[in-house]
Amino acid sequence: MIDLHTHSLFSDGTLLPSELVRRVETMGYAAVAITDHADSSNLDHVVPRIVQVGMDLNRSQSVKVIPGVELTHIPPDLIGVLLKRSRELGAKIVVVHGETIVEPVAPGTNRAALEAGADIIAHPGLLSRDEARMAAEKGIFLEVTARKGHSLTNGHVVRLAADTGARLVLNSDAHSPGDFLSEPFARKVVEGAGLTPDAFSQLQENARSLLEKIGYSL
Ligand SMILES: [Zn+2]
Ligand SMILES: [Zn+2]
């Protein structure tokens, strides 16, 4: 499994990064991105620490740790600035907390994240066809999520991705141990989103290609 969206106790997850990584290692994960929630108040606190623990763990653990961040509830006109700052601080994957229908995410967040060049639009909610097209053109991944609530619009996201050629990744958005994805459950989430059973492999391949683009080979 490759999972590019998880939370540690550096935001609202329950696990220390080292325990998070150890737990997914025992589940046979190949790679995990730790992408804690951040805005301008905590970005410089969170990202360098995830970078540090990632470097330490990558010396010994079999699962590859990718330091990232999830820019969350950022006013859309600030997303570009904070995305650039995230990369300067060492985030290899920048996820933007997209317009899920179960939270009052500011309208325009998906578009601002696409314009700014995020890596993944997490739980994009009822994104528009134009936005899906922009994701396809810019090589930005749209998320199929296993997270309760956010997953209500997986079907919509899958349909627009199929229509526009946007590529999808499957993520757990895990906040605690029970949220990590076993492969059999991940396959069910993919199928439940309206994809064919063999799409699971394609989504994992998409995640692998994103990692290759940012310099990780598995
Ligand atoms: Zn989120
Ligand atoms: Zn998240």
Side-chain angles (χ1 to χ4, degrees), residues 5 7 35 37 70 97 123 173 175:
H5 181 174
H7 296 276
T35 54
H37 298 290
E70 182 178 15
H97 185 86
H123 43 72
D173 201 351
H175 287 67

Side-chain angles (χ1 to χ4, degrees), residues 107-194:
T109 294
N110 289 341
R111 181 166 293 273
L114 290 162
E115 284 171 351
D119 296 302
I120 298 171
I121 313 297
H123 43 72
L126 296 172
L127 88 162
S128 69
R129 187 170 298 272
D130 268 1
E131 288 161 357
R133 204 173 289 123
M134 199 188 306
E137 282 163 7
K138 298 190 76 166
I140 294 171
F141 291 87
L142 301 178
E143 183 183 73
V144 173
T145 176
R147 188 81 179 150
K148 290 185 185 74
H150 296 335
S151 58
L152 287 167
T153 54
N154 278 343
H156 173 78
V157 173
V158 162
R159 184 168 56 82
L160 283 192
D163 288 352
T164 60
R167 289 196 291 169
L168 299 166
V169 287
L170 170 71
N171 291 323
S172 70
D173 201 351
H175 287 67
S176 54
D179 298 334
F180 298 121
L181 295 172
S182 66
E183 190 175 315
F185 187 71
R187 288 178 180 277
K188 288 179 184 172
V189 174
V190 167
E191 231 181 305

